[in-house]
Amino acid sequence: MAAREYGQYDGVTRALELVGERWAMLIVRDLLVGPRRNGELAAGLPRIPTNILAARLKELQAAGVIRRAPRSRVIIYELTDYGRELEPVVLALGAWGSKAMGDPREEQILTPDALTMTLRTAFRPQVAAGLPATAYAARLGAAELLVRVDGSALDVRRGDGPVDLAFTAGPSIHRLISGELAPDRALATGEVEVLRGPGDLLDRFVTTFHLAA
């Protein structure tokens, strides 16, 4: 039974009944990055109340969007094939919503999973295909995302490894990939800090990743 029923019979209505409750799409967003334990989901959504997280997980399981699976003696949550069909919807929502973001408020944060999906949304494979293969490391607090671009292929994951450019990332990265903040200005003001590698590769990064303002 859907948590909310609208009394209308069409696909949009049914989709909202299945994934339209508060926090549901953010859970889906994070699970598109990879399977997560309950605690990992809670850590990635620090404002979600424990009872709401439990309720959303139960509802998404009942809808066939996610499933529980044992792994190494722990329970993880992962998307079903049906749930993974939401990926283009989430990417389209991210691109659409980015046009109305404005400046970040002091209490707003950018999580590694959210940044991963932002990069997937902003990736321009046709542009990247004409550029040299490049590996970036985006430092976000204590986490580091390894971003590998090889032709039209993109791989984003947590971890470390050899990279061509490592830089700090935060909420200002949206201004960078939307074109609102030029790479040289970002470096000059310290909004982006180069940790290792040549800073001029930041120009290649913003050419590869772009969100229309």
Side-chain angles (χ1 to χ4, degrees):
M1 179 68 67
R4 176 184 291 130
E5 293 187 348
Y6 296 98
Q8 296 188 28
Y9 186 71
D10 77 303
V12 173
T13 299
R14 187 59 182 144
L16 288 174
E17 288 174 349
L18 295 178
V19 296
E21 291 293 319
R22 191 178 185 194
W23 295 104
M25 286 298 281
L26 293 184
I27 292 171
V28 170
R29 178 202 66 188
D30 287 2
L31 291 179
L32 281 167
V33 177
R36 296 285 182 266
R37 298 193 298 269
N38 185 292
E40 291 172 327
L41 286 169
L45 302 168
R47 287 196 174 189
I48 191 170
T50 303
N51 63 319
I52 297 299
L53 176 58
R56 291 296 92 86
L57 291 174
K58 183 177 180 181
E59 292 159 6
L60 291 169
Q61 287 179 78
V65 175
I66 69 174
R67 61 174 164 247
R68 283 163 48 103
R71 184 172 299 179
S72 299
R73 294 180 292 182
V74 298
I75 298 296
I76 58 100
Y77 293 90
E78 61 185 8
L79 293 168
T80 62
D81 289 342
Y82 182 50
R84 291 204 68 84
E85 290 178 16
L86 285 166
E87 181 165 4
V89 178
V90 173
L91 296 179
L93 275 174
W96 183 75
S98 69
K99 298 178 181 180
M101 287 178 62
D103 294 329
R105 297 190 297 274
E106 185 176 347
E107 73 277 10
Q108 289 182 311
I109 64 171
L110 177 63
T111 67
D113 286 347
L115 178 56
T116 297
M117 294 306 294
T118 295
L119 292 175
R120 287 190 194 175
T121 302
F123 182 55
R124 300 199 287 179
Q126 292 180 328
V127 173
L131 297 172
T134 312
Y136 306 92
R139 176 76 57 79
L140 187 60
E144 190 162 276
L145 291 182
L146 185 59
V147 184
R148 290 194 179 99
V149 180
D150 189 355
S152 60
L154 169 67
D155 181 65
V156 184
R157 63 184 64 196
R158 296 195 202 192
D160 53 24
V163 298
D164 301 291
L165 173 67
F167 60 92
T168 59
S172 61
I173 196 170
H174 176 265
R175 297 179 59 228
L176 189 66
I177 62 179
S178 69
E180 182 182 346
L181 178 65
D184 57 351
R185 179 65 177 169
L187 295 174
T189 60
E191 292 185 70
V192 174
E193 178 185 352
V194 171
L195 301 174
R196 53 190 185 275
D200 57 4
L201 281 179
L202 198 61
D203 288 279
R204 185 184 300 174
F205 178 82
V206 299
T207 300
T208 305
F209 299 92
H210 180 73
L211 285 171

